[in-house]
Amino acid sequence: TGVATMKFKSPPVNSLSLEFLTEFSISLEKLENNRACRGVIITSAVPKIFSSGLDITEMCGKSVEHYTEFWRALQEMWLRLYGSNMVTVAAVNGSSPAGGCLVALSCDYRIMAENPKFSIGLNEAQLGIVAPFWFKDAFVNVVGHRVAERSLQLGSLHPAPEAHKLGLVDELVPEEKLMEKAAAVMAQWLALPDHARQLTKTMMRKAVLDRLVAHREEDIKNFISFVSKESIQKSLRMYMEMLKKRK
């Protein structure tokens, strides 16, 4: 059919670790290089979670070299996904905070399971961290400036119905119909000539992609200086303790 399905399977919560991000980028690159592949549906094989976002353990008590490698892998994943020539459809079948939300935002179309217990959003502010400018740019492009500003400042996680109302997801469907709907949407997008769609996508997204490419090293330095602060390390450690207690 010319359509691939990529399923996240990194239990318990599909955290975006260095290894996960690297695998994700390699998989996308393989699909991009496969002439027969025109689209990819991205979903999760882990129940109730799409992706919980960045792996906190990658940001806690590690070396500068490790932080550099981790952040570069995250940038690489986003540049590849946001700028992909393929049609990308996110079938969001669980909660999707922070980096998980970024993955969904980077796709061409987002369908979410109609479950008020599932939420999505860039909630970095709740953890005392700041969403990078390129997360913000991708968010603004989807929901508009005002919604993005309020949501980012409050670190909001939006339940599925609210996410749909805000335009953060394009459609809500019953969970059991999610993949069927994703395939139908994909068929609709693939009915167009690839070159026209690809050039239009590039035109719409180029400025945002170029901005990160131009400031990549600076963005890595900002992340390192931020994550290395003792106050940030302390809040990350506290957050990890809280997660352990929840288990």
Side-chain angles (χ1 to χ4, degrees):
T1 60
V3 180
T5 301
M6 193 190 285
K7 290 185 179 179
F8 296 156
K9 193 174 184 184
S10 183
V13 289
N14 291 337
S15 295
L16 304 177
S17 63
L18 177 56
E19 187 186 8
F20 187 106
L21 291 164
T22 307
E23 284 290 324
F24 191 8
S25 291
I26 290 168
S27 301
L28 282 171
E29 187 178 16
K30 279 182 186 161
L31 294 175
E32 288 279 358
N33 292 335
N34 181 347
R35 285 273 170 87
C37 186
R38 297 173 63 211
V40 59
I41 294 168
I42 296 173
T43 192
S44 166
V46 176
K48 296 180 186 164
I49 192 91
F50 180 69
S51 166
S52 66
L54 298 185
D55 188 338
I56 304 283
T57 61
E58 300 280 14
M59 300 191 279
C60 211
K62 299 282 197 293
S63 67
V64 167
E65 291 75 20
H66 185 86
Y67 295 146
T68 304
E69 195 184 357
F70 174 62
W71 203 250
R72 198 182 294 284
L74 178 66
Q75 291 175 334
E76 188 59 39
M77 177 281 291
W78 180 76
L79 290 168
R80 200 170 276 289
L81 182 59
Y82 199 67
S84 176
N85 270 327
M86 297 180 290
V87 175
T88 53
V89 174
V92 184
N93 53 342
S95 286
S96 197
C101 178
L102 179 75
V103 171
L105 283 173
S106 305
C107 293
D108 296 316
Y109 201 85
R110 283 158 291 286
I111 308 163
M112 193 166 182
E114 201 171 1
N115 185 333
K117 287 183 180 163
F118 296 163
S119 59
I120 184 169
L122 294 176
N123 63 322
E124 281 79 356
Q126 282 190 32
L127 314 180
I129 52 184
V130 180
F133 71 85
W134 40 287
F135 282 51
K136 180 269 297 176
D137 289 346
F139 198 34
V140 168
N141 281 357
V142 169
V143 299
H145 198 279
R146 176 64 194 130
V147 170
E149 183 180 37
R150 189 180 63 213
S151 186
L152 284 167
Q153 285 201 49
L154 293 171
S156 304
L157 278 176
H158 306 285
E162 190 183 307
H164 181 235
K165 203 168 79 184
L166 295 174
L168 178 50
V169 293
D170 297 298
E171 273 184 82
L172 292 183
V173 296
E175 214 163 335
E176 65 279 6
K177 297 228 169 106
L178 193 64
M179 296 311 287
E180 187 188 320
K181 186 67 194 180
V185 166
M186 180 64 79
Q188 189 188 355
W189 283 62
L190 291 180
L192 292 149
D194 282 342
H195 66 279
R197 181 193 52 73
Q198 287 164 354
L199 288 169
T200 304
K201 182 173 180 174
T202 302
M203 174 176 71
M204 297 298 291
R205 298 189 172 196
K206 191 174 187 303
V208 172
L209 288 161
D210 286 353
R211 192 170 161 212
L212 177 58
V213 171
H215 298 284
R216 230 176 142 170
E217 297 310 315
E218 189 189 330
D219 181 56
I220 291 170
K221 280 185 190 140
N222 285 345
F223 169 70
I224 291 166
S225 95
F226 183 75
V227 84
S228 302
K229 286 191 178 107
E230 186 42 46
S231 58
I232 299 301
Q233 285 291 312
K234 190 179 170 184
S235 69
L236 290 174
R237 283 194 300 270
M238 281 164 63
Y239 184 66
M240 279 163 67
E241 281 305 312
M242 186 187 82
L243 290 178
K244 275 181 197 159
K245 280 176 191 157
R246 268 196 209 163
K247 281 175 194 169

